[in-house]
Amino acid sequence: MRIRLACGLRLPINVSLKPRLTGYARSIRVQLLRPSRNRSLRIAAVLLAMLPASGFSQFTPQMTGQINSQSGTTSSAPETAAPPASSSGTSNSSSAALPTAITAPPGYQLSANDGIGVEVFGEEDLKTTARLNSEGNASLPLLGSVHLAGLTLTQATTRVTDLYARDYLVNPKVNVTLLGYARRRFTVLGQINKPGSYEMPETSPGGIDLMEAIAMAGGYTRIAAPERTSVRRHLANGADQIMRVNAKRVERGQTANFRIQDGDSITVGESIF
């Protein structure tokens, strides 16, 4: 191409009207040389080939990168957050049930260290468990220390009902139950396999049989003399009573059974021969 100047001179200038194509554009140009059945596709290819080299070079790395990154991602359903845990599962400690009551024998009287349960109908705050102290008193809500030793369960219920009705409640309905007997112990000495102090079962508040007490202590030794058994018992007046018992005859059923009470001390004699 020659350019004519104002002075009449013509300068040859090598200017190519065809823009330099990048590698990607050259591949498009090769595709143009091939026959194509789609006329619109050929027109689009021509337009891409005519873009300036600088603009096309910027388009290629940026746009292709975005296209590749978008095509690499997969659509997923939106995650739903789990509903918060309900706080309605909290329990009220005052409404907890009392321990299982023990069926006391008829006419049983409460004594020191017995465990009791007290319920007032419609008054959950007054529900409580207590153990009688050494003086026979139990600590109850609002009432404080109440003496219950020596009373049957029916009498104890009446006393607690009267105390609540006197100053606090109108026509209260009270129930007093026995939850556990006081720890009752006895001692076995002499010709016995396991001498020592033993605790009576709670199922036997009135005491246990002599033969049951000896069995709990491991039975007789080989030199024991069951017919020479003695029982020492503390009386209410502070004196001690010593009773001679022929345990051999008791075991054979020849004499009436002998009951061991709380605090008794059994001594099994030794055979002379």
Side-chain angles (χ1 to χ4, degrees):
M1 177 179 181
R2 296 177 180 275
I3 299 176
R4 186 174 181 177
L5 301 179
C7 58
L9 297 179
R10 295 182 178 179
L11 297 178
I13 300 177
N14 294 327
V15 178
S16 177
L17 295 178
K18 298 180 180 180
R20 295 183 180 180
L21 302 178
T22 61
Y24 186 80
R26 290 193 185 95
S27 63
I28 297 176
R29 183 178 180 182
V30 172
Q31 295 295 332
L32 292 175
L33 297 178
R34 297 179 182 178
S36 176
R37 298 180 180 180
N38 194 335
R39 184 177 183 85
S40 61
L41 181 61
R42 293 188 61 186
I43 295 175
V46 172
L47 295 177
L48 290 176
M50 294 301 294
L51 291 175
S54 59
F56 192 83
S57 62
Q58 294 177 1
F59 168 82
T60 303
Q62 296 177 0
M63 298 302 295
T64 55
Q66 294 178 2
I67 295 173
N68 293 334
S69 63
Q70 293 177 0
S71 61
T73 59
T74 58
S75 61
S76 59
E79 298 181 357
T80 57
S86 175
S87 59
S88 60
T90 57
S91 61
N92 187 359
S93 59
S94 62
S95 61
L98 294 177
T100 303
I102 297 176
T103 302
Y108 176 78
Q109 296 179 350
L110 296 174
S111 61
N113 295 322
D114 278 349
I116 61 172
V118 178
E119 293 181 280
V120 182
F121 180 77
E123 301 291 341
E124 292 294 333
D125 294 339
L126 300 181
K127 181 188 299 182
T128 186
T129 60
R131 184 171 291 276
L132 276 65
N133 58 18
S134 59
E135 298 178 355
N137 300 329
S139 180
L140 303 180
L142 298 180
L143 301 180
S145 180
V146 180
H147 187 77
L148 298 177
L151 302 179
T152 64
L153 292 177
T154 302
Q155 293 171 342
T157 300
T158 302
R159 172 167 294 185
V160 175
T161 301
D162 293 341
L163 292 176
Y164 275 125
R166 181 182 302 174
D167 298 318
Y168 301 101
L169 302 175
V170 177
N171 192 22
K173 293 179 175 58
V174 180
N175 184 31
V176 178
T177 57
L178 180 65
L179 302 182
Y181 295 108
R183 294 180 177 88
R184 294 169 171 83
R185 306 189 69 85
F186 63 94
T187 304
V188 184
L189 303 173
Q191 295 303 315
I192 209 76
N193 287 318
K194 297 179 181 179
S197 179
Y198 293 88
E199 184 174 332
M200 293 184 182
E202 288 192 348
T203 54
S204 302
I208 60 175
D209 295 341
L210 174 62
M211 304 313 301
E212 184 180 355
I214 293 175
M216 292 176 63
Y220 304 117
T221 64
R222 62 181 183 84
I223 61 174
E227 67 276 6
R228 299 175 57 194
T229 301
S230 63
V231 177
R232 180 187 296 270
R233 179 170 298 171
H234 298 286
L235 301 179
N237 58 8
D240 290 342
Q241 180 184 9
I242 298 178
M243 295 166 283
R244 307 291 180 179
V245 183
N246 189 335
K248 182 179 291 187
R249 294 177 63 88
V250 173
E251 184 178 5
R252 293 175 179 176
Q254 297 175 350
T255 59
N257 200 358
F258 189 89
R259 300 287 292 181
I260 301 299
Q261 299 179 5
D262 179 35
D264 284 355
S265 179
I266 308 167
T267 302
V268 178
E270 181 180 352
S271 177
I272 299 175
F273 301 101

